[in-house]
Amino acid sequence: MLPSAVATGEPQLRVRDGQVAVPRLTATGAASETGAAFAADGTVLITGGTGALGAELARHLVAEHGVRHLLLTGRRGPQAPRSRGTAR
């Protein structure tokens, strides 16, 4: 199975139970089209949230989706430059 999997030329694949699978990203509709939404009383976890992209995502979730409870985590913990170092 391995030689035929390698012969596909795919940069990344998985072989499981004799089946070869290749990861693919697909476009989906907007949350209103798919029915996906954030629960008003739920908490959104953002890993890497103390970095620039995580902070931008947090702002977007608050402004565009009304999220009110966020948990931002990062590898550096309270030592991250933008971290307040304490839970609020």
Side-chain angles (χ1 to χ4, degrees):
M1 177 60 61
L2 188 57
S4 62
V6 172
T8 65
E10 292 287 343
Q12 187 177 45
L13 50 82
R14 173 189 79 196
V15 177
R16 182 179 292 162
D17 297 327
Q19 299 291 318
V20 177
V22 179
R24 295 282 187 255
L25 294 176
T26 59
T28 63
S32 60
E33 296 171 8
T34 62
F38 295 100
D41 60 345
T43 299
V44 175
L45 169 66
I46 302 176
T47 58
T50 57
L53 289 176
E56 187 63 30
L57 175 60
R59 282 190 287 274
H60 171 77
L61 291 173
V62 170
E64 300 297 322
H65 298 280
V67 173
R68 295 292 172 250
H69 303 280
L70 295 162
L71 177 59
L72 281 62
T73 63
R75 291 177 298 192
R76 296 177 61 190
Q79 288 72 39
R82 292 196 246 201
S83 172
R84 295 179 191 253
T86 59
R88 295 172 42 145

